[in-house]
Amino acid sequence: MDSSDIERKRVVVIGGGLVGALNACFLARRNFQVDVYEAREDIRLATSARGRSINLALSYRGRQALKAIGLEDQIVSQGIPMRGRMIHNLSGKKSVLPYGTNSQYILSISRKNLNKDLLTAVETYPNAKVHFGQRLVKCNPEEGRITVVGSNKIPKDVTCDLIIGCDGAHSAVRTHLMKKPRFDYSQRYIPHGYMELTIPPRNGAYAMEPNYLHIWPRHTFMMIALANMEKSFTCTLFMPFEEFEKLRTSSDVLNFFKEYFPDSIPLIGEQALGEDFFLLPAQPLISIKCSSFHLKSRCVLMGDAAHAIVPFFGQGMNAGFEDCLVFDELMDKFNNDFSLCLPEFSRFRIPDSHAISDLSLYNYIEMRSHVNSWQFLLQTSIERFLHALMPSTFIPLYTMVTFSRIRYHEAVLRWHWQNKVINRGLCVFGSLMAMGGVYLLVSYISPRPLGYLRRLPWTGNRFFWNMGRISLQTLRSH
């Protein structure tokens, strides 16, 4: 063993999902000894085709993280560009709301394929290893020790210099940190669940336009569809659980879709819709906030383990990837010193994670309801116009979140300020329009409106002269 191996610090990553695998690549590049412990078996070895294809939206933040480890081109080549939202109304008419400029788009990416590529990338580093089928049962960050159990049911102790929890919304690492003093934690299950359906290819081609996020907004619920590389679409129905519970038979489901999503029935197929709807129950959606993200210099949380969010802004994966990128940038700044890097990571990322959590909940309301509102469409048009005139001053919220690395909480502050400016401008414009309307009305009633105004008793020099005489007489009488 050479001297570099003796001095190399050991980092344990709990969770081999998207964020865990990406993090392992970042850390291996820094010459740490990296061990990833994943409770599931290796997904690359799975032969069954169970489950539907789950796609995620890859935006600028996620692409920057992939670019930093040299994987951007490989991943982007497997994605489908989506340049805007395509809104389906009840009559089947479709309209497009662009995300931004012609050069701005997000990518529909297969979650499974992305995870496979990241795991393969981890294994290209000789100082990194992924251990599958290893479940965390005990975590002692103060001593730098974890205990995992494999298929043989024999506990195995592992010592390390740093533990990174990337094990999802129901994180085992976070569960251990919650027992520590001054660790704040909150979770919220929203009253809406989700269910996935499939639109198959039609004659070997896409049944709808592939380069858009398709949305069927219905005020209190909605359905969306993202294109897959194999020419199908993955549809997701988001709806209150009480509405799901009303649909008990295939007939109920078909009547419901005929009322609210009639144009989707020929795309999905009546028989497939009646069967697929009952394959799995509606799944819950959880939002998690916690503080702090770290414990001393020995443990840190990232991704859903630190900030699980609802999927309506498409930022869950991107925020997790940005965690890895920010941590890597801080490691540069503090020369790989965990005692300085971890506290700064918490201080820096907590406001942003809370902000994107709140924005994701807001965007659900926007997607299911606001996109049908003329006020929303007017405001969106004004924002795009002002952004074209002043690109560095006025930036639409979606652009700040999806096509830049402006910090999430700063994007919220700028969004509120821009809304105030636009609303005040609309008030001034409305007042001027009202005054102009009054003037035109008076002009229509009287051929000489200004002459009419001059004849009123409170106008003209004679009025003020008479008022002055009355005031002077009053003073003299006293």
Side-chain angles (χ1 to χ4, degrees):
M1 183 180 294
D2 60 27
S3 59
S4 63
D5 289 329
I6 296 173
E7 297 172 358
R8 182 180 288 158
K9 289 184 178 181
R10 188 173 189 182
V11 179
V12 163
V13 178
I14 307 300
L18 298 176
V19 176
L22 180 65
N23 226 331
C25 292
F26 273 107
L27 294 164
R29 290 169 68 250
R30 292 188 169 275
N31 204 35
F32 294 117
Q33 179 62 45
V34 182
D35 288 281
V36 180
Y37 290 91
E38 168 57 47
R40 301 169 299 173
E41 297 300 326
D42 191 342
I43 61 172
R44 295 169 296 178
L45 303 179
T47 57
S48 66
R50 292 174 59 192
R52 298 183 178 90
S53 174
I54 299 176
N55 276 25
L56 300 172
L58 178 67
S59 65
Y60 181 79
R61 298 172 196 267
R63 291 181 63 166
Q64 290 300 106
L66 293 170
K67 181 179 180 179
I69 61 168
L71 287 180
E72 182 187 19
D73 292 341
Q74 175 185 339
I75 301 303
V76 167
S77 67
Q78 302 174 29
I80 300 171
M82 295 189 296
R83 303 186 180 278
R85 299 167 174 170
M86 182 162 286
I87 311 301
H88 296 242
N89 65 18
L90 276 172
S91 67
K93 182 180 179 181
K94 294 180 284 189
S95 57
V96 173
L97 296 178
Y99 283 139
T101 64
N102 292 334
S103 62
Q104 291 176 327
Y105 57 88
I106 59 178
L107 287 163
S108 177
I109 297 285
S110 165
R111 180 190 184 102
K112 181 182 291 187
N113 291 339
L114 176 56
N115 203 170
K116 290 179 179 180
D117 289 341
L118 289 172
L119 289 171
T120 300
V122 173
E123 293 178 343
T124 63
Y125 297 94
N127 54 316
K129 186 175 182 181
V130 184
H131 307 266
F132 295 100
Q134 300 290 316
R135 180 172 56 88
L136 179 72
V137 294
K138 189 175 181 181
C139 182
N140 191 336
E142 291 91 345
E143 298 180 10
R145 186 173 68 251
I146 65 168
T147 303
V148 295
V149 172
S151 57
N152 58 10
K153 308 299 181 183
I154 300 175
K156 175 185 175 182
D157 290 334
V158 178
T159 59
C160 59
D161 297 286
L162 176 65
I163 302 167
I164 302 183
C166 302
D167 48 343
H170 303 286
S171 168
V173 177
R174 189 186 62 236
T175 300
H176 289 281
L177 293 187
M178 288 167 60
K179 302 172 185 177
K180 307 299 179 183
R182 301 176 63 191
F183 186 90
D184 292 329
Y185 170 82
S186 67
Q187 74 173 39
R188 173 188 175 189
Y189 281 99
I190 67 171
H192 296 237
Y194 72 95
M195 178 178 289
E196 291 179 342
L197 303 167
T198 301
I199 294 178
R202 176 178 291 177
N203 300 323
Y206 287 106
M208 300 186 297
E209 299 85 345
N211 299 118
Y212 296 93
L213 170 63
H214 292 260
I215 306 178
W216 289 259
R218 299 298 181 258
H219 299 292
T220 58
F221 54 88
M222 71 173 183
M223 186 169 69
I224 66 172
L226 286 83
N228 300 313
M229 291 293 287
E230 64 272 17
K231 309 297 184 182
S232 66
F233 284 85
T234 298
C235 298
T236 310
L237 175 61
F238 298 96
M239 192 164 65
F241 279 101
E242 59 186 21
E243 296 297 326
F244 276 115
E245 292 165 1
K246 294 178 182 178
L247 306 178
R248 304 187 179 208
T249 66
S250 297
S251 178
D252 292 338
V253 173
L254 185 59
N255 290 334
F256 174 79
F257 270 73
K258 284 181 178 178
E259 182 175 1
Y260 293 107
F261 311 114
D263 63 325
S264 73
I265 296 176
L267 300 173
I268 299 173
E270 288 191 14
Q271 183 176 351
L273 176 60
E275 294 173 355
D276 291 358
F277 193 89
F278 298 101
L279 286 178
L280 291 172
Q283 301 298 304
L285 294 166
I286 191 172
S287 177
I288 290 174
K289 295 180 181 179
C290 68
S291 178
S292 172
F293 290 169
H294 78 287
L295 179 66
K296 299 181 180 179
S297 62
R298 288 300 189 95
C299 186
V300 65
L301 303 173
M302 295 189 195
D304 284 354
H307 47 73
I309 61 178
V310 293
F312 304 115
F313 223 124
Q315 287 296 299
M317 174 185 68
N318 293 287
F321 280 9
E322 192 175 43
D323 283 346
C324 303
L325 183 56
V326 168
F327 190 76
D328 188 65
E329 292 167 348
L330 292 174
M331 292 285 276
D332 272 338
K333 180 178 179 180
F334 295 111
N335 196 28
N336 294 343
D337 189 335
F338 296 154
S339 64
L340 297 176
C341 185
L342 268 62
E344 181 63 13
F345 178 77
S346 282
R347 186 197 67 80
F348 191 89
R349 286 300 280 176
I350 287 172
D352 292 332
S353 67
H354 291 182
I356 191 57
S357 178
D358 295 337
L359 280 176
S360 298
L361 289 167
Y362 159 79
N363 211 49
Y364 183 33
I365 301 172
E366 178 177 301
M367 292 174 70
R368 76 184 192 214
S369 180
H370 290 178
V371 291
N372 285 325
S373 164
W374 68 266
Q375 295 98 326
F376 171 79
L377 297 176
L378 174 62
Q379 175 128 354
T380 300
S381 299
I382 293 172
E383 288 176 350
R384 287 171 59 84
F385 174 73
L386 293 175
H387 181 52
L389 288 180
M390 299 171 284
S392 60
T393 303
F394 275 85
I395 308 176
L397 175 64
Y398 194 89
T399 299
M400 287 190 284
V401 170
T402 309
F403 302 121
S404 83
R405 280 197 65 197
I406 296 173
R407 294 182 62 185
Y408 290 126
H409 85 278
E410 291 178 358
V412 172
L413 294 175
R414 290 186 64 163
W415 175 49
H416 288 318
W417 173 79
Q418 290 174 178
N419 282 344
K420 286 182 180 179
V421 172
I422 292 173
N423 290 337
R424 288 176 182 175
L426 289 175
C427 285
V428 171
F429 180 74
S431 299
L432 292 174
M433 289 292 290
M435 293 170 62
V438 170
Y439 177 80
L440 291 175
L441 179 61
V442 172
S443 300
Y444 178 77
I445 295 173
S446 172
R448 297 184 61 191
L450 294 180
Y452 171 76
L453 292 174
R454 291 192 194 100
R455 292 195 297 271
L456 295 175
W458 55 80
T459 60
N461 294 334
R462 181 175 299 176
F463 173 75
F464 293 103
W465 171 254
N466 291 336
M467 288 295 295
R469 289 180 61 188
I470 295 171
S471 300
L472 183 60
Q473 292 174 359
T474 303
L475 289 172
R476 286 175 178 173
S477 65
H478 287 80

